[in-house]
Amino acid sequence: MNTINVALFCLIFIPISLLQIALPYLTRRTISFGITISEEVWNSTPVADMRKRYALLSTAFCLILGIAFGVAAIQMNGNTLGIAIAGFAIVLLIGTFALHLYFYGKMKALKASLPAAPAPGKTALSLDTSFRKQRLVMSGKWYLIHLAVIIACAVFALAQYDRIPEQIPMHYDLNGNVDRMEDKSIRLLLLPNLLQLFMTGLLLFINFIIYKSKQQLNPADPQESSRTNAAFRRRWSVFNFAMSLLLVMLFFFMQLTMIYSIDPKWIFPVALAVPILIIAGSIWLSFSTGQSGTRLARKSGAGGNPTAVPVDDDRHWKLGGSTYYNPNDPSLFIEKRVGIGWTVNFARPLAWVFVLAPFVIIALLLVFTS
Amino acid sequence: MIIQLDMQSDVPIYTQLMNQIIEGIAGGRLKPGEALPSVRHLASDIGVNLHTVNKAYTLLKQEGYIQIHRQKGVVVQPDGLPGLTPEFMTKQQEQLRPIIAESILRGMNLDDLLHQARQLYEQISSAPPGKEPTP
């Protein structure tokens, strides 16, 4: 019981902490704590010191918080643990965000004290006209595999309908005992397939975002930046594909537990293995690739100009560089400047639709299942 | 080809975009028939209004440097560039006059001006490596 609590707790605690601590090291080399700078400044001592201090302070914070919650988690039962872990994650995120805001302010002050761009006011925006001719993402056609699997699962489940017991196990506690049963119905049986469809649709959409999002090259080395950014998108697209296939399999397993009385001791490891694989994969990808592919090896700095200052769009990034709001920018999807991944331009009404749509769909799913 | 724009310059974005694309074709970095990004993608990548990019593309099309197809999208003129038309000669003379006038005022002699023009000519036309600049 306690070992499972601690294992679950660590599974949430370690990845979030790692990513939060490493945040300033994973960003583009033209962004420091949400502030636009040149790559030369990124490498300078005061800025490198700020990264170190952030990492030290956030490590200390995460450790103290982690130990406190870890001690508390041992004494908890399964019901309160879920709430406690969620609460812990929120406190961790708020704390590290506050720390980030502190350094955001420091960085802003530091930038103001720096001399203006060394070249006479040259702020360059670089773009590669053949950027989208590179293979940026996996074709959406690959997701037909998922569709075929989902249909096969549904057909298989329906064919087995008559031999399913009248009561279907719906929920297991942390020890693997069934703690909720429901009367069998076709709707209940096909629920996993509905979830499969929802997850696949969502991840296919993310694949589309990865392709569409704005091209943002480092003007210090646009040629290499174009190559590494394409690799960054490709890697996440492949990961996205593998992750969605794993999730489809997980839901199929969930469906199997309804049809056959699978020994509960198998359920917990399988249900845990998939998220562990996904979390480990995304951490590995974040650290090896970096936001925008900045951590990928560059072939050479030939033609590069490290003092080139990227376009300063800081005023469009609100809340410490976390939220993009620019009515004059037609792009809908854009790379985050704090953290790994993509975000939307909140000045576009369509962006709000995309942000809210998953919640609406989840609400509909809940209505459907109740 | 890599396009470099100066977002703080007084020169409008659509003019910079046109100049860069024309220079890219002249230097051989953009090949005849090569596809250019769509208006939507280019506007999003630069972070400007669709009309800005549209204006640059329409003007480039009018001057015969690119073609805009409904299906194939925007491509560098594959059927040979327009050549030295009388209209172009007139336009070029108009554009050169103020540059020459300013050079005279700044005390630049004809040789220096011609030297400058020759250097720029070689810089732009010799962009593909291994090609000898014509003297």
Side-chain angles (χ1 to χ4, degrees), chain A residues 121-130 132-133 211-215 217 219 222-223 311 328-331, chain B residues 1-9 17 21 30 34-37 40-50:
Chain A
K122 269 276 178 197
T123 51
L125 185 143
S126 306
L127 52 99
D128 184 352
T129 55
S130 50
R132 284 198 167 74
K133 281 178 235 162
Y211 172 74
K212 274 283 172 187
S213 81
K214 186 189 185 111
Q215 174 189 168
L217 304 186
Q223 202 87 56
V311 176
N328 295 322
D329 188 346
S331 30
Chain B
M1 181 188 97
I2 300 287
I3 290 180
Q4 301 264 11
L5 302 172
D6 184 348
M7 302 305 277
Q8 283 173 346
S9 159
L17 205 52
I21 290 175
L30 287 174
E34 184 175 332
L36 290 172
R40 201 164 279 279
H41 277 150
L42 197 51
S44 145
D45 289 344
I46 307 174
V48 293
N49 204 293
L50 293 179

Side-chain angles (χ1 to χ4, degrees), chain A residues 79-113:
Chain A
N79 296 331
T80 47
L81 184 70
I83 302 163
I85 287 179
F88 156 78
I90 290 167
V91 172
L92 184 80
L93 289 174
I94 290 175
T96 45
F97 185 67
L99 202 58
H100 164 82
L101 274 183
Y102 169 74
F103 279 97
Y104 170 80
K106 290 224 130 199
M107 191 63 224
K108 211 170 187 174
L110 180 70
K111 187 184 177 181
S113 73

Side-chain angles (χ1 to χ4, degrees), chain A residues 131-160:
Chain A
F131 184 70
R132 284 198 167 74
K133 281 178 235 162
Q134 310 176 75
R135 209 168 58 84
L136 293 180
V137 294
M138 289 178 80
S139 155
K141 285 179 192 139
W142 284 96
Y143 286 79
L144 288 172
I145 297 176
H146 299 58
L147 193 64
V149 172
I150 294 169
I151 292 171
C153 291
V155 169
F156 170 77
L158 285 176
Q160 306 286 315

